[in-house]
């Protein structure tokens, strides 16, 4: 009598998906799901991976992707790349779910959290800017992303209003205009010195998470130093007490530490009281006096003597004093 023996298979096919929970960072296509079968199948098995909300997470770029497992590749992990659409806002897209299904097999689910990757920042069109005294220059400001609040306000501040001012004092951005550049105007302050000066423009958002941005500003000086001499001419008389001397004044046009040289071109006819005058930023606009003295000689000729007033980097001034 023959005995029939049946070997009853007790293994139940199953889908293996790892990991069971995934966080997907916006715009980053490196969040991967691995799928295999638990046992070798008798025939090809189609496994579908579907997302509950393609606007939150996509599977291989779409709402559904299909994986085929055969008797030879059943235990080789197949990769599903998960992405969440990149957008300009700063809001997490939230939770979604992946359903991993195949006919006759138990459906597996994977929880997915879609996180935003955007960090708000202030975008200035320049890192530094130059403007000439008494003139203006402009740059623009926008936000990198949609504000979290209905409105995000950026305050524009000059670090030294004696050097340069800015306008407007603030810029307002919202979801409709956050990426549209708004213009900031800087004005160089006209002053009496000869210095090129620097100050900082600070862009400060009322959103605490948005970092400040500084723009370095340089105000170029537009002044040229000059010597101011008054009066424009004097007369002195030889051997005439009370008339043999005369004075004129010298000052600077702009603030500067400067030594001014004073010289008679003919010391045999006239002399000056001081060869140099020292000016500082404190006294540049205060007259300093030079005395011209006539020198007595044996001729009867009227003499014209040139007095030269000069300083390094400044146009020399010469004018005539008469000695009679």
């Amino acid at each position: 009598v023959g005995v029939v023996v049946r070997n009853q298979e007790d293994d139940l096919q199953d889908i293996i998906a790892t990991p069971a929970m995934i966080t997907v960072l916006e715009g980053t296509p490196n969040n991967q799901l691995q799928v295999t079968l638990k046992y070798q199948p008798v025939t090809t098995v189609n496994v579908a991976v579907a997302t509950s909300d393609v606007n939150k997470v996509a599977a291989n770029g779409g709402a559904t992707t299909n994986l085929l497992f055969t008797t030879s590749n059943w235990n080789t992990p197949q990769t599903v790349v998960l992405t969440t659409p990149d957008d300009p806002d700063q809001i997490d897209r939230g939770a979604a779910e992946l359903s991993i299904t195949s006919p006759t097999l138990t459906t597996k689910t994977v929880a997915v959290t879609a996180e935003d990757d955007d960090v708000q920042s202030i975008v200035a069109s320049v890192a530094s800017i130059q403007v000439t005294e008494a003139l203006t220059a402009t740059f623009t400001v926008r936000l990198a992303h949609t504000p979290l609040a209905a409105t995000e306000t950026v305050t524009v501040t000059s670090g030294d209003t004696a050097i340069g001012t800015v306008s407007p004092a603030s810029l307002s951005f919202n979801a409709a205009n956050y990426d549209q550049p708004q213009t900031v105007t800087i004005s160089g302050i006209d002053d009496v010195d000869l210095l090129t000066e620097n100050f900082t423009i600070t862009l400060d958002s009322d959103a605490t998470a948005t970092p400040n941005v500084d723009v370095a500003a340089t105000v170029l000086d537009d002044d040229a130093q000059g010597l101011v001499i008054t009066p424009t001419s004097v007369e002195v008389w030889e051997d005439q007490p009370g008339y043999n001397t005369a004075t004129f004044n010298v000052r600077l046009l702009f603030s500067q530490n400067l030594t001014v040289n004073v010289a008679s071109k003919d010391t045999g006819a006239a002399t000056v009281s001081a060869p140099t005058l020292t000016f500082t930023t404190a006294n540049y606009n205060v007259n300093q006096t030079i005395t011209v003295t006539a020198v007595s000689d044996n001729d009867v000729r009227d003499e014209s003597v040139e007095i030269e007033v000069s300083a390094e980097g400044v146009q020399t001034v010469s004018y005539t004093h008469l000695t009679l």
Side-chain angles (χ1 to χ4, degrees):
V1 177
V3 177
V4 177
V5 178
R6 289 188 177 182
N7 185 7
Q8 183 69 38
E9 178 64 57
D10 63 353
D11 295 327
L12 296 178
Q13 186 62 280
D14 198 6
I15 300 169
I16 299 174
T18 55
M21 298 178 65
I22 300 177
T23 298
V24 181
L25 185 63
E26 180 182 278
T28 305
N30 61 357
N31 305 278
Q32 298 179 353
L33 175 72
Q34 304 289 334
V35 181
T36 62
L37 295 182
K38 187 174 183 179
Y39 299 109
Q40 184 178 31
V42 175
T43 185
T44 298
V45 176
N46 179 63
V47 174
V49 180
T51 175
S52 60
D53 188 341
V54 74
N55 293 316
K56 292 181 178 179
V57 61
N60 285 345
T64 304
T65 187
N66 292 301
L67 310 175
L68 293 178
F69 292 95
T70 66
T71 56
S72 58
N73 76 343
W74 62 273
N75 59 349
T76 301
Q78 296 195 39
T79 299
V80 179
V81 177
L82 306 177
T83 56
T84 186
D86 205 357
D87 60 28
D89 66 35
Q90 304 172 79
I91 302 172
D92 289 345
R93 290 182 175 271
E97 190 175 79
L98 295 177
S99 296
I100 307 167
T101 61
S102 183
T104 74
L105 298 182
T106 301
T107 297
K108 293 295 178 71
T109 59
V110 173
V112 179
T113 300
E115 290 187 350
D116 192 87
D117 68 339
D118 298 319
V119 178
Q120 184 66 285
S121 61
I122 299 169
V123 181
S125 60
V126 296
S128 61
I129 191 169
Q130 291 185 340
V131 63
T132 301
E133 283 182 359
L135 299 180
T136 61
T138 62
F139 65 96
T140 62
V141 178
R142 64 176 177 85
L143 295 182
H145 303 289
T146 308
L148 287 175
T151 300
E152 185 167 343
T153 300
V154 175
T155 301
V156 186
T157 307
S158 166
D160 192 335
T161 55
I163 300 174
T165 59
V166 293
S167 66
S170 64
L171 308 170
S172 182
F173 296 95
N174 54 43
N177 75 346
Y178 76 93
D179 59 348
Q180 298 173 19
Q182 297 189 38
T183 299
V184 173
T185 300
I186 68 171
S187 300
I189 301 301
D190 202 7
D191 56 29
V192 295
D193 63 41
L194 300 170
L195 302 175
T196 290
E197 298 172 290
N198 302 307
F199 69 103
T200 299
I201 300 168
T202 300
L203 307 173
D204 181 12
S205 172
D206 62 352
T208 56
T210 304
N212 292 353
V213 170
D214 287 339
V215 175
T218 299
V219 178
L220 304 175
D221 194 86
D222 65 346
D223 300 319
Q225 187 62 281
L227 300 170
V228 181
I229 298 176
T230 55
T232 56
S233 65
V234 295
E235 289 186 351
V236 289
W237 297 71
E238 292 179 16
D239 300 321
Q240 298 292 321
Y243 298 96
N244 65 334
T245 63
T247 61
F248 65 92
N249 298 312
V250 181
R251 65 178 175 86
L252 300 184
L253 192 58
F254 296 105
S255 175
Q256 186 180 8
N257 295 323
L258 189 67
T259 297
V260 174
N261 303 305
V262 183
S264 168
K265 291 293 190 178
D266 186 354
T267 56
T271 60
V272 293
S273 58
T276 61
L277 302 172
T278 300
F279 290 93
T280 68
T281 55
N283 74 345
Y284 76 96
N285 59 350
V286 177
N287 283 321
Q288 295 192 43
T289 300
I290 292 292
T291 300
V292 180
T293 302
V295 177
S296 180
D297 56 28
N298 296 322
D299 61 48
V300 294
R301 292 181 294 108
D302 291 343
E303 296 169 286
S304 178
V305 180
E306 187 177 280
I307 305 298
E308 184 177 85
V309 184
S310 64
E312 184 178 357
V314 183
Q315 183 175 357
T316 297
V317 177
S318 296
Y319 68 100
T320 301
H321 299 270
L322 297 178
T323 302
L324 303 179

